[in-house]
Amino acid sequence: DIEKSGREILRLRDARDDVRRDLADVGRDMRDVRTARKWARKRLDQLTAFVVDAELRLPKIEEEVDALDLADIEAGWAEALEQEWERLSGQLAMAIEEQRLQRIAVRDADHELTMLQLESEDLEVDADDIAAKEHEEFELLRRTELARTEREVAAARQRRITLERMRWRVRDVRVNVLRRERSDRHALVEAALAPKRVDAASTVAFATRTRIV
């Protein structure tokens, strides 16, 4: 049925457009997640470098504090080193916590990318299935239209044959009528020309027939 195939093709076209929009959304989400993961990895590298430097610096501060003499203490070096140690220790603790959070962010981003990739592959499969069904419907529609065209051509040919037969039949009827008329006229002529008895030729009917002929 051509109308049914047409409706199915329109439905498949809408489904294909929906899949394309979903693929575009998934693609944007994947780009956003990759960007966030890239930033998290970069930040994680910075934090790792800071943690390494801080963990190396703290023991040195302690050594420098132990090496101070009375003059250095009176000059304020002890207080400065203690403040640096406290500040650096606090920064180290926050950096380690942020490291943990950034690792979680990278892991979550990797997981989300995996799920988005799976979703994208599923959508690609759906798109392929829809394309295959569209092809089947177009092929069915083509065969249906071809069959209908063949039927119309055959019907037109049959109509021409029937019309031609009717024309020949009318012509044959006319020919037969003319032959019959000619045969009847020939018979009348022969009858008129045939020798008649004297009594028959003298009748009114005979004279009438003669005039008719």
Side-chain angles (χ1 to χ4, degrees), residues 14-91:
D14 292 338
R16 181 189 60 191
D17 292 339
D18 291 339
V19 170
R20 286 179 176 175
R21 283 191 292 270
D22 291 340
L23 279 171
D25 293 340
V26 170
R28 283 191 296 269
D29 292 342
M30 292 179 71
R31 287 192 295 271
D32 292 342
V33 173
R34 286 193 182 102
T35 300
R37 185 182 63 176
K38 182 179 179 180
W39 183 89
R41 285 177 172 175
K42 182 178 180 180
R43 180 58 180 165
L44 188 57
D45 291 340
Q46 294 173 347
L47 291 169
T48 300
F50 175 79
V51 168
V52 170
D53 291 341
E55 288 177 345
L56 292 174
R57 176 59 183 162
L58 286 174
K60 291 182 179 180
I61 294 175
E62 294 174 356
E63 292 176 359
E64 291 176 2
V65 170
D66 292 340
L68 293 176
D69 54 19
L70 184 58
D72 294 330
I73 294 173
E74 291 178 352
W77 283 107
E79 184 179 357
L81 290 171
E82 288 175 359
Q83 291 176 354
E84 181 184 358
W85 189 91
E86 291 177 357
R87 184 180 67 254
L88 190 58
S89 296
Q91 291 174 344

